[in-house]
Amino acid sequence: MIRIAVRNLIEFVLRSGDYRYEFTAPSRPVEGTKGHRRVQKSRPENYRSEVAVSRVFRKGDLEIEVQGRIDGIYDEVQGPVIDEIKTTYGELPDEGYSLHWAQAKFYAWIIMLEHNLDTIDVQLTYLQLDTNQTLEIRRTFTREKLDTFCNAILESYTSWAKLRSDWEITKLDSAVALEFPFDTYREGQRDLAVGVWRAIDAGRRLYVQAPTGIGKTMGTIFPAVKACERFDKLFYLTAKTTGRAVAETTFDILRTRGLRFKTLTVTAKDKICFQPGSACVPEECPFAEGYFDRLRGAMEDAHEQDSLNRATIEEIARRHRICPFEFSLEMSLWADAVICDYNYVFDPRVYLRRFFQESSAPYLFLIDEAHNLPDRAREMYSATLSKKEIMQLRRDIKDVSPPMAETLKSLNKHMLGVRKSLEAEEREAVTDRELPQDVLLLVKKFIGQAELWLVTNRFNETRLQVLDFYFSCLSFVRTAELFDERYLTLYEKHRDELTVTLYCLDPSYLLGKAMDKSVSAVVFSATLTPIEYYMEILAASPEDSSLQLESPFSRRNVAVLVANRIPTTWKLRDQSAPDVARMIESAVGSRKGNYIVYFPSYQYMRTILELIDLPDADIIEQESGLSEAARDEFLARFEVGGDNTRVGFCVMGGVFGEGIDLVGDRLVGAIIVGVGLPQINPRLDLIRDYYDEQEGTGFQYAYMFPGMGRVLQAAGRVIRTATDKGLIFLIDERFTHRRYMELFPSLWKNWRPIAKPEDVKPLLARFW
């Protein structure tokens, strides 16, 4: 049985012409719904509103159930009259639009078949929302005409429906027959796979601490595929591009063992766009022109591919000359698994509404690199406005829209007053537990003005600037609707800049609401430590479970040293810097090879670089803001073998602190300076104070646990396979404090203290 809504059926078969992004105010659907109700309430007593209908049509060996809800039916003496209501802000059409007529005619056909009618009347009712003017267009259709018209639509859809039906059978049969793709499970991997399968089967969430080497991507995807009858679509969510690539590779491996499973990778619009800088209209972008005329052919080509990664999407989109981003979103509806960034599920500004607003299907979430999710969630559930942005936009639009400019002037005046107050008190930030009502009032006023202006100024040169700030304001207002005891209003001064942020201190409740859109979720990482902290902040409920797995690697293959007398706290860094440099020199000098030294900040890294003396080593320094090409070039220098020593100086938590795979001799040592604590700042202090009030765990939640997460991720770059052998050198006396040692993984159990630089070489000589 294939089920489809009347509207979706009509659009799928009959859509044609250009893709055109038109600005639509978020209030438009609500106003449209209210308009529908006004029309319905004005109808006479013989009028029935919101009439649900469905009918099953057999096409070959397929049954297609077409469902829908008719806006209204007049029960007149000569028979029922179908009423399809449409609302608009534009001009009322003379004859009505073809898609609207098609939808109404299909509804009429269902009623005609149900009551065995020879003719039926169909009415399109248009309501102009600004003026309340209505237009009613009524036509009579015979059974013969509607039979011909609607059967043609069903025939056109049936070819695609047959493809999808056959695919479902192929997918399920392959999943049932699928065996684990390797001869044996890695140590701990089978426990992981069984745990994931049971969680999906029970419809609950599972939180997994799975160290490097277990094979967690295969250990989660394989059981998910085996359980695919229990969900409609799998969402594999990651924080970084590297995570998406690993998921794609894992599905490819399973395909070599017979799996048929369609995966689609969503690439951000700004990365995949063929016409960057152009508006999504046919006047500016050739890939928008005639988009719907060519979409069906592109979809049929795409259906021939099981893996729709970025390269494949781009290749098909170029061949059919259509927008690759919109095409990828269209194909996501038909994919069995969608591989994408967290924000496509969790961010209220950009989540995939076609799944999480318009549908309630059973979805499965596999959430990789989940240690990144708390900070990402705080960003997604917070909203910021900038005084500089307000002033710049006011200058740009003062001549084209004096009303908007006046509102921005008032908003800037408020921000200026707060900044002067902070300057007078010599403070950098101020908080309030209440919403900034003065700001909200002005922001809402600007939104209303901008919506009217954007509708009528499609080609104004300042349109993009207005649109950008409009969406910032909209995000601010929507975040205000979420504001509760888990939020603060935060004003921050940065020199002459001032920002106001609705800051989410605790994202657990909102993450839980988002996760409720899944039938089951598996939350996993190599560094979900301590797991109780992550379960709390990542919305675990009492019935959810956790799984903590031991490292599969031998402790004999890793030397863990701790420089236990060197303080690296901010106040003592200059004093201890020479000792840190000597420790690094001793470790690197113990054996030729490739090393990475991790620091808590760029400034600290550069301080040590000035003191380091490694004349025979090739020193590579990480720069901030590296492009993807520059990152690849950096890693390429860590080649295998050779007689040279290369030392990368990097920042913990940065692009080289996790998600990189330097196997074997490509990396023989990670030297970690400091316990990874984020730099003290007002926002983290607010998180600390919030959790101190809640449960007395402020320092741990704001600083210590995230910091040790960075340390564990950096250390995890060394031992990637069972045959790898390497050094983990921790430089900071705090690593010997009990509360830090409690967070050490079992692989570090045999750590050795180092008091002086000269103690390093003898220990490592025996190890190597």
Side-chain angles (χ1 to χ4, degrees), residues 71 82 129 185 204 219 227 341 402 470 472 523 560 619 642 681 693 722:
D71 290 331
I82 306 304
L129 290 168
Y185 286 93
R204 66 171 187 262
D341 188 88
Y470 167 83
S472 294
V523 183
V560 182
I619 294 179
N681 65 66
E693 289 179 15

Side-chain angles (χ1 to χ4, degrees), residues 411-466:
L411 192 53
N412 179 68
K413 183 178 179 181
H414 173 87
M415 304 277 276
L416 184 62
V418 176
R419 193 185 74 188
K420 287 181 177 178
S421 174
L422 286 171
E423 288 170 347
E425 298 173 15
E426 296 184 347
R427 299 170 67 185
E428 295 298 313
V430 65
T431 62
D432 192 335
R433 289 190 177 272
E434 302 298 325
L435 282 167
Q437 296 295 348
D438 291 347
V439 173
L440 271 174
L441 191 65
L442 291 168
V443 167
K444 289 177 180 178
K445 184 177 180 181
F446 174 83
I447 286 173
Q449 293 168 330
E451 286 178 353
L452 292 173
W453 187 89
L454 286 163
V455 168
T456 55
N457 290 268
R458 288 174 52 196
F459 301 107
N460 191 284
E461 61 183 11
T462 59
R463 178 180 172 82
L464 287 179
Q465 294 95 302
V466 174

Side-chain angles (χ1 to χ4, degrees), residues 295-368:
L295 176 61
R296 181 73 175 268
M299 290 174 63
E300 290 171 354
D301 276 5
H303 201 274
E304 297 297 314
Q305 306 292 327
D306 285 6
S307 175
L308 292 172
N309 55 25
R310 176 176 176 175
T312 304
I313 286 288
E314 287 182 339
E315 189 274 324
I316 296 173
R318 284 194 185 278
R319 192 187 329 143
H320 289 270
R321 208 159 53 84
I322 60 174
C323 169
F325 182 70
E326 289 300 322
F327 176 50
S328 69
L329 295 185
E330 182 69 35
M331 290 310 301
S332 69
L333 292 167
W334 311 103
D336 303 308
V338 177
I339 303 169
C340 60
D341 188 88
Y342 296 152
N343 60 4
Y344 290 106
V345 169
F346 295 113
D347 193 329
R349 288 161 288 203
V350 298
Y351 74 96
L352 296 170
R353 282 167 173 76
R354 62 192 66 206
F355 297 113
F356 306 117
Q357 180 173 294
E358 301 171 5
S359 172
S360 57
Y363 300 130
L364 170 66
F365 296 164
L366 299 183
I367 305 172
D368 192 10

Side-chain angles (χ1 to χ4, degrees), residues 31 89 224 231 265 279 380 382 526 579 598 750:
E31 292 165 359
Y89 280 108
F231 56 85
T265 303
M380 291 187 283
S382 300
D579 293 333
Y598 291 99
N750 298 330

Side-chain angles (χ1 to χ4, degrees), residues 143-161:
R143 172 74 172 266
E144 182 183 1
K145 279 199 171 184
L146 290 188
D147 279 351
T148 301
F149 177 79
C150 296
N151 272 313
I153 289 173
L154 282 174
E155 289 297 334
S156 179
Y157 177 69
T158 298
S159 62
W160 178 259

